[in-house]
């Protein structure tokens, strides 16, 4: 569940998302910016290298807004340390009577902005490379200049992400279902949010018409033309030539504007601010007219004698205009939690920070910083009566019955959901926290992956797990596995190491038994006693945990799966159709899979299952190298597990934090998962690890540099629970992964999906049955 979703990651939508995310009342982590195309792209209205920025406006409200817009642009530059604004000045020329120039100068004077009037003679003196007749006057807006457009969009998106905001690109919104909770149907599933800002540029009409809003918006495509200098440097930014704007005919809103040679050396950009009406999905297909190019060519012959009159480069751009060329910044007249920003009419880029501020104020129910009358939708409709709006049901589709609902979007639940979706099951996955999050057992940068197990069945399952991880990498194009090898360590008589070696031999795995002398020779940065027994699992390594989880969730969506996050399950009502009651409503399915990690006991007890599950929290510690690179994955240092009687200690080489090695104790403090950090107050495990580091890792500092938190659920025998509910066979349970389940998740997901679909099981589930904890068959 998102607090705010912004549709459209152009300059206006990105600015709005940034303003929302930095608001003190909103968590940036609950703000989502969506774009239908992969970012960055040039399909909308915010592409290209530069835009004109200016104070000079004939409308007083835009002039006032530009004053703050300049301040915000400078702030963005300072925070991001990126140059976005380059001062050039802007020459505004107009044929007598100079109505627009006079209005603009009046507003600039009121706001204390710098400008200089240029009568005809002065215009010819100061700009000999221009040729305007005596009935033209002009003025210079001294603080005008260029905005680096694509860089500006990226910088604002980076600021948005720095406040915790999330960007999903390549996801198209297909339908908006309004209500107190808005549902967004997309090409990757359904998203839920409390509020929406629609800033979709040329695609706005397509999104809002089904919401009953038929605004007089037109999408225009223009030719962006670059004209070669006859004399190098005449019209160059580097020689101080300004941007130039001329409003030829105010009654037609016909404008020609230019920017000095900058983007392409020796080429000046000059365009008409008028275009051809197009469907935004067929922009280049429909723009066949060269009338604007002929118009500009004629203009150049008359007024710019130092330019060739045939363009050297022609690119494409499109924007959406209103009849009065003023913006639309307003709430939906029926649903106040839907805000619309549209019709920026080719001059919204420079104002984007203030536009974003206003849209954020509207969506957060704040008082707008500027008067909004010029931007209200009502101005297009007589007597402020809107057309009849088709009613949309806020819970449209909620009566559907899913094939399967998977509760929990950690690695086990996500793997299960992915297998189900691949098998054609219509699958919904529900997660109580907004994704991604660090509240459960599947977050963090790394996990050990290994075939070195005492249990024969785990070794057998790991053989397939490796293959499925490779398949995941191949299908997604994302690397999630890094081979490092694993040292299995244990003091004599080393029963665990002996069992591990026997299983590696039995299953034909690549391994090596090291003597203590070989260990010391090959790893001189370690210090273990003479009675230490060592086996190397060569195929072991690390899994990039966060990336692996996100990749599997993306594959689930790719196969048609739907994820509802930020939605807590409050009750499960079993039956032939299972009802799953959540904080957002009720969902129905023929089967349900419960993979809720630390919350397993809370979810299972109302279903009559009182399993011996214990949730523990551990300190995940990172220790600094004294000698850079000694314990680095880049230098082939392996992972390790030391089987001590007091509890296993494991480590992962420096990888996620440069120069810091992860070393942890596989034992934790029992706690309530809803109060994880408040209950984790003692540091006994850190003290234990510090002593271990001093004894065995002389190249590490003995105080951790970083301490993070993780929790997992353990069973008494530290074996999984993979089983059906003993009373309702369409309720499937995956729990108690005991801190060792991540690497096995692809196979766990396969087995749980087989239980759902009542297929022949790929593995014996005897070690994982619920009945093993109860002396009699009935557990109810």
């Amino acid at each position: 569940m998102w607090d705010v979703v912004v549709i459209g990651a152009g300059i206006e939508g990105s600015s709005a998302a940034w303003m929302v995310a930095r608001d003190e009342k909103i968590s940036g982590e609950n703000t989502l910016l969506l774009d239908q195309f992969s970012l960055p792209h040039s399909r909308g209205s915010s592409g290209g290298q530069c835009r004109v920025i200016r104070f000079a406006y004939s409308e007083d409200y835009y002039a006032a807004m530009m004053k703050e817009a300049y301040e915000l642009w400078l702030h963005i530059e300072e925070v991001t340390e990126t140059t976005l604004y380059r001062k050039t000045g802007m020459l505004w020329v107009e044929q007598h009577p100079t109505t627009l120039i006079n209005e603009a100068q009046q507003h600039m004077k009121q706001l204390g902005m710098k400008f200089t009037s240029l009568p005809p003679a002065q215009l010819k003196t100061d700009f000999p490379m221009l040729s305007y007749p005596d009935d033209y006057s002009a003025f210079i807006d001294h603080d005008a200049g260029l905005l680096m457009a694509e860089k500006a969009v990226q910088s604002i998106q980076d600021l948005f992400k720095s406040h915790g905001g999330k960007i999903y690109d390549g996801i198209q919104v297909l339908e908006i279902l309004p209500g107190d909770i808005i549902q967004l149907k997309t090409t990757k599933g359904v998203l839920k949010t409390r509020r929406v800002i629609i800033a979709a540029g040329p695609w706005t009409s397509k999104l809002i018409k089904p919401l009953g809003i038929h605004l007089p918006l037109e999408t225009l495509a223009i030719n962006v033309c670059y004209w070669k200098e006859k004399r190098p440097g005449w019209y160059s930014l580097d020689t101080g030539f300004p941007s130039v704007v001329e409003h030829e005919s105010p009654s037609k809103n016909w404008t020609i504007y230019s920017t000095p040679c900058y983007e392409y050396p020796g080429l000046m950009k000059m365009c008409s601010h008028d275009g051809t009406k197009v469907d935004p999905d067929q922009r280049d297909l429909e723009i066949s007219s060269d009338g604007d190019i002929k118009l500009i060519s004629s203009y150049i012959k008359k007024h710019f004698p130092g330019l060739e009159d045939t363009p050297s480069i022609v690119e494409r751009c499109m924007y959406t205009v209103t009849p009065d060329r003023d913006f639309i910044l307003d709430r939906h007249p029926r649903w106040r939690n839907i805000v619309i920003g549209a019709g920026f009419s080719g001059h919204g880029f420079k104002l984007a920070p203030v536009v974003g501020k206003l849209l954020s104020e509207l969506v957060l129910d704040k008082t707008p910083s500027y008067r909004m009358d010029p931007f209200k939708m009502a101005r297009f409709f007589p007597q402020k009566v809107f057309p009849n709006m088709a009613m949309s049901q806020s819970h449209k589709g909620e009566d559907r019955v899913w094939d399967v609902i998977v509760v929990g979007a950690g690695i086990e639940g996500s793997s299960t959901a992915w297998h189900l979706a691949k098998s054609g099951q219509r699958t919904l996955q529900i997660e109580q926290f907004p994704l991604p999050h660090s509240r459960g057992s599947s977050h963090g940068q790394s996990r050990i992956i290994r075939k070195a197990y005492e249990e024969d069945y785990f070794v057998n399952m790991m053989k397939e797990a490796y293959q499925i991880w490779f398949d995941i990498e191949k299908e997604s194009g994302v690397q999630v596995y890094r081979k490092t090898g694993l040292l299995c360590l244990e003091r004599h008589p080393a029963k665990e190491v002996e069992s591990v070696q026997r299983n590696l031999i039995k299953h034909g795995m690549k391994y090596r038994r090291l003597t203590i002398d070989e260990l010391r020779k090959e790893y001189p940065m370690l210090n273990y006693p003479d009675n230490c027994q060592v086996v190397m699992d060569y195929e072991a390594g690390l899994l990039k945990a966060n990336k692996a989880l996100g990749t599997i969730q993306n594959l689930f969506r790719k196969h048609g799966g739907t994820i509802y996050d930020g939605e807590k399950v409050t009750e499960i009502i079993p039956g032939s159709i299972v009802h799953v009651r959540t904080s957002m409503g009720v969902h129905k399915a023929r089967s349900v899979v419960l993979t809720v990690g630390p919350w397993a006991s809370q979810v299972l007890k109302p279903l009559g299952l009182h399993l011996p599950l214990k949730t523990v929290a551990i300190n995940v510690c990172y220790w600094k190298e004294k000698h850079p690179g000694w314990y680095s994955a880049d230098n082939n240092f392996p992972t390790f597990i030391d089987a001590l009687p007091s509890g296993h200690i494991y480590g992962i080489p420096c990888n996620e934090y440069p120069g810091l090695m992860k070393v942890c104790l596989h034992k934790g403090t029992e706690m309530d998962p809803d109060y994880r950090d408040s209950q984790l107050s003692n540091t006994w495990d850190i003290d234990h690890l510090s002593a271990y580091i001093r004894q065995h890792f002389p190249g590490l500092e003995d105080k951790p540099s970083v301490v993070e938190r993780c929790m997992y659920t353990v069973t008494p025998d530290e074996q999984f629970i993979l089983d059906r509910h003993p009373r309702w066979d369409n309720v499937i349970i995956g729990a108690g992964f005991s801190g060792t389940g991540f690497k096995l998740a692809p196979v766990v997901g396969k087995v749980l999906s087989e239980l759902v679909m009542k297929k022949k099981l790929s593995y014996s589930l005897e070690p994982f049955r619920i009945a093993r904890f109860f002396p009699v068959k009935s557990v109810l």
Side-chain angles (χ1 to χ4, degrees), residues 547-660:
K547 188 171 288 187
L549 177 59
T551 299
I552 290 176
Q553 290 169 350
N554 288 338
L555 291 178
F556 169 58
R557 294 187 184 99
K558 177 183 174 181
H559 288 282
T562 299
I563 300 178
Y564 289 174
D565 63 343
E567 187 165 342
K568 183 178 177 63
V569 171
T570 56
E571 185 181 10
I572 294 169
I573 305 169
S576 58
I577 298 297
V578 184
H579 288 65
V580 179
R581 191 181 304 279
T582 76
S583 54
M584 299 298 168
V586 177
H587 307 285
K588 293 179 282 187
R590 294 178 177 84
S591 298
V592 65
V593 180
L594 304 178
T595 47
V596 293
W599 289 269
S601 289
Q602 293 181 19
V603 173
L604 294 172
K605 284 179 181 178
L607 296 175
L609 281 179
H610 298 265
L611 299 178
L613 295 170
K614 181 171 69 174
T615 298
V616 298
I618 68 167
N619 287 304
V620 181
C621 302
Y622 296 83
W623 312 78
K624 186 177 181 180
E625 293 178 302
K626 296 176 182 177
H627 306 282
W630 266 23
Y631 303 98
S632 172
D634 292 334
N635 290 332
N636 300 315
F637 191 81
T639 58
F640 79 89
I641 298 175
D642 191 354
L644 294 167
S646 59
H648 286 40
I649 289 177
Y650 65 93
I652 295 177
C654 304
N655 179 64
E656 45 213 277
Y657 296 117
L660 299 182

Side-chain angles (χ1 to χ4, degrees), residues 688-719:
H688 183 70
L689 287 168
S690 291
Y692 183 88
I693 293 289
R694 285 193 295 271
Q695 187 175 3
H696 301 302
F697 282 75
L700 293 178
E701 301 285 352
D702 63 2
K703 293 184 179 179
S705 296
V706 176
V707 178
E708 298 175 342
R709 300 286 185 264
C710 185
M711 59 181 174
Y712 51 85
T713 307
V714 297
T715 59
D717 56 9
E718 296 194 354
Q719 305 298 310

Side-chain angles (χ1 to χ4, degrees), residues 487 514-523 526 528 534:
L487 292 173
L514 281 76
T515 67
I516 190 63
D517 290 335
E518 289 172 330
L519 178 70
R520 289 168 178 166
K521 181 180 178 180
E522 295 179 28
Y523 301 101
L526 299 178
Y528 283 95
V534 187

Side-chain angles (χ1 to χ4, degrees), residues 12 199 320-321 325-329 341-348 355 359:
E12 314 297 343
T320 306
V321 299
R325 297 310 197 259
D326 279 333
F327 307 163
I328 294 169
L329 308 173
F344 295 103
S345 302
H347 67 107
V355 167
L359 291 173

Side-chain angles (χ1 to χ4, degrees), residues 227-230 297 300-301 304-312:
W227 312 78
K228 187 177 181 180
E229 292 179 301
K230 296 176 182 177
S297 179
I300 284 174
K301 290 175 184 176
F304 284 71
L307 291 178
E308 301 284 356
D309 60 11
T310 300
S312 297

Side-chain angles (χ1 to χ4, degrees), residues 20 54 127 142 168 178 295 386 398 404 426 442 540 559 598 654 716 775:
V20 169
R54 57 187 167 102
F127 297 98
H142 288 288
Y168 291 176
L295 176 71
F386 285 83
E398 287 299 305
V404 190
R426 290 178 298 116
S442 300
H559 288 282
C654 304

